[in-house]
Amino acid sequence: MKIGCVLMAAGFGRRFGGNKLQAEFDGGATLIQCALSAIPHDKLAQVVVVTQYPQVAELARKYGFTALPNPHPEVGQSESIRIGLQALQDCDAVLFQVADQPKLQKETVAELIDFAAAHPDRIVGLGHNGRRGNPCIFPARFYPELLALTGDHGGRSVILAHEEELLLMDVPSDQLIDIDTPEQLEKL
């Protein structure tokens, strides 16, 4: 099964007060470095990083990933999904990962990829006690719906339309925490 990855790193971080991807987490690594380090590139056909930030694009290339510019980040998540998915059309499935989960582990994402390979027709995602988190992997049959998203709507909209197609892999809750505010980062 050929699986691609889209790291979504084009948001404005409005609730954070600016570009949160450069904020440092425990040990001095930035949120974007944590996200890039959590991608098990050896299990993926291709990794694209969709961003509006030149410094994120440069860092993505240092990791050996393809950086794709998002010239219209104000459109919302749907624009990053469209840009990333168009680059990975030849993949059997695509993993969508957000860039603000600093405790997400590469081993966990690798397990999720194996889980998806065992269930190739289903949407799979990480979860804890039945509550869905990120990342999620969508088989190719959902590409048309993902490409049809508009505004600040992401994969959640497609999942809600197909809840019976979702399988969750349970992980410790701290790996699912995403950072939206400086206070959340400080607390974590």
Side-chain angles (χ1 to χ4, degrees):
M1 186 172 180
K2 186 176 175 184
I3 300 178
C5 173
V6 176
L7 179 64
M8 306 204 11
F12 288 100
R14 288 184 179 100
R15 288 179 282 175
F16 196 84
N19 179 7
K20 64 184 170 184
L21 300 180
Q22 298 300 327
E24 289 187 3
F25 181 62
D26 195 31
T30 62
L31 289 180
I32 189 61
Q33 287 170 322
C34 292
L36 292 165
S37 296
I39 298 172
H41 54 77
D42 57 322
K43 288 192 162 277
L44 296 159
Q46 185 178 358
V47 177
V48 298
V49 178
V50 181
T51 188
Q52 65 167 313
Y53 302 106
Q55 64 272 36
V56 170
E58 182 180 329
L59 188 59
R61 288 188 287 273
K62 286 182 182 175
Y63 276 78
F65 303 149
T66 301
L68 298 176
N70 182 340
H72 302 289
E74 70 281 357
V75 170
Q77 293 179 52
S78 65
E79 186 70 0
S80 288
I81 289 170
R82 183 188 62 74
I83 291 167
L85 194 53
Q86 285 179 336
L88 301 174
Q89 285 285 317
D90 63 333
C91 290
D92 301 312
V94 172
L95 181 151
F96 289 93
Q97 184 173 321
V98 294
D100 60 358
Q101 290 178 272
K103 291 211 167 193
L104 182 63
Q105 299 296 310
K106 180 186 280 191
E107 297 77 19
T108 303
V109 180
E111 287 177 37
L112 181 65
I113 292 167
D114 291 341
F115 187 65
H119 305 280
D121 295 327
R122 303 287 291 272
I123 300 169
V124 300
L126 295 183
H128 183 74
N129 289 337
R131 185 170 178 195
R132 185 188 58 80
N134 287 307
C136 289
I137 300 175
F138 292 84
R141 67 188 175 107
F142 294 101
Y143 293 178
E145 288 177 67
L146 289 163
L147 289 168
L149 293 169
T150 59
D152 203 28
H153 297 284
R156 180 177 187 268
S157 300
V158 176
I159 291 170
L160 289 174
H162 302 280
E163 289 185 85
E164 73 285 355
E165 299 289 340
L166 176 66
L167 290 177
L168 294 179
M169 188 181 95
D170 202 68
V171 296
S173 62
D174 67 331
Q175 290 199 50
L176 302 178
I177 296 171
D178 60 29
I179 302 299
D180 292 321
T181 66
E183 294 77 24
Q184 287 175 324
L185 182 61
E186 182 66 32
K187 184 179 176 186
L188 190 62

